[in-house]
Amino acid sequence: EDKVVQSPLSLVVHEGDTVTLNCSYEVTNFRSLLWYKQEKKAPTFLFMLTSSGIEKKSGRLSSILDKKELFSILNITATQTGDSAIYLCAVAPPWTGTASKLTFGTGTRLQVTL
Amino acid sequence: DGGITQSPKYLFRKEGQNVTLSCEQNLNHDAMYWYRQDPGQGLRLIYYSQIVNDFQKGDIAEGYSVSREKKESFPLTVTSAQKNPTAFYLCASSKTGGLSYEQYFGPGTRLTVT
């Protein structure tokens, strides 16, 4: 059974801190890893990582994948209260050209306080 | 504006009743998905559909049914056979052509069964 584990489960930081969220996986067929941000309702897409060692960056957020050690990290620098959300990690099997059946982790709940 | 809509936002039902959750998308996506999210758990796949008139069971399909008569619509019925139906239900859609795993999510329906 495919498994995606995120840590920590929850985290409280002060505005301006830097945080690192972890995602490890055990899957039979791996193609890509995705990060989503869920603020209140609908998760929104952040990054997709397919190649090991190549950092993806968007503003204060960055992520990297290690396919040898089977994990990914999501870094957020200079955190703001608007970063408070649940961060979800998901893995995707090899592409078949049809539906993408993702396996999600439990998520990390991040709270940024003033 | 393109997107996914789910209705209603909140739904209350008595135990033993079937209930249907609506999901509509105008993104012209072929694939659609239903997930369930429980506190402290990640998203779990209930059913998915790659094309009209076709759908497959996900990881937790027991007690649920779906239909896909139109490309834009993928309603989910929670039947009385579902033992723990109270949860947050998310619908998503994605492209099927090209290498893309990104799924776009609706705002969700919170179902409470008493």
Side-chain angles (χ1 to χ4, degrees):
Chain A
E1 183 182 326
D2 293 349
K3 195 174 176 183
V4 179
V5 178
Q6 293 187 245
S7 63
L9 290 180
S10 66
L11 189 58
V12 181
V13 301
H14 289 109
E15 200 171 45
D17 288 350
T18 294
V19 298
T20 298
L21 310 182
N22 304 291
C23 175
S24 63
Y25 59 91
E26 296 174 22
V27 297
T28 51
N29 288 298
F30 175 87
R31 172 61 181 160
S32 295
L33 185 143
L34 294 88
W35 284 96
Y36 283 85
K37 177 183 182 182
Q38 185 178 22
E39 289 184 75
K40 286 185 181 177
K41 301 276 178 80
T44 54
F45 174 78
L46 294 175
F47 297 112
M48 185 175 82
L49 303 151
T50 302
S51 300
S52 200
I54 298 176
E55 184 183 55
K56 290 279 183 90
K57 196 170 171 66
S58 176
R60 296 176 294 102
L61 276 67
S62 63
S63 184
I64 197 161
L65 175 67
D66 186 326
K67 291 171 80 170
K68 184 179 177 185
E69 300 297 329
L70 308 183
F71 78 91
S72 173
I73 59 171
L74 175 68
N75 278 319
I76 308 175
T77 60
T79 52
Q80 302 171 358
T81 55
D83 295 325
S84 297
I86 297 173
Y87 290 84
L88 297 165
C89 170
V91 295
W95 180 250
T96 60
T98 56
S100 53
K101 195 178 168 192
L102 304 179
T103 300
F104 281 85
T106 54
T108 292
R109 182 180 293 274
L110 172 66
Q111 184 180 351
V112 181
T113 62
L114 291 171
Chain B
D1 288 336
I4 301 179
T5 57
Q6 291 184 244
S7 61
K9 287 184 181 179
Y10 300 94
L11 190 54
F12 298 88
R13 279 294 183 269
K14 294 287 186 185
E15 198 173 310
Q17 293 179 333
N18 291 355
V19 60
T20 298
L21 282 59
S22 169
C23 176
E24 304 275 333
Q25 56 99 359
N26 61 4
L27 299 167
N28 200 33
H29 287 167
D30 285 313
M32 296 187 74
Y33 313 81
W34 273 106
Y35 292 93
R36 170 182 173 139
Q37 188 174 31
D38 294 282
Q41 296 197 42
L43 277 62
R44 292 185 289 167
L45 184 64
I46 304 172
Y47 267 98
Y48 65 102
S49 169
Q50 301 176 34
I51 199 167
V52 174
N53 293 324
D54 179 70
F55 48 83
Q56 284 81 40
K57 292 181 180 179
D59 300 318
I60 55 165
E62 186 175 349
Y64 299 97
S65 65
V66 293
S67 63
R68 187 88 185 276
E69 298 176 3
K70 298 188 299 182
K71 186 175 184 176
E72 301 80 15
S73 178
F74 191 41
L76 173 75
T77 296
V78 184
T79 75
S80 56
Q82 168 50 233
K83 294 178 183 176
N84 296 298
T86 295
F88 186 54
Y89 291 87
L90 284 161
C91 177
S93 70
S94 70
K95 299 177 185 178
T96 52
L99 185 63
S100 174
Y101 294 100
E102 183 181 350
Q103 294 184 9
Y104 295 79
F105 286 84
T109 292
R110 189 167 297 279
L111 172 65
T112 302
V113 176
T114 57

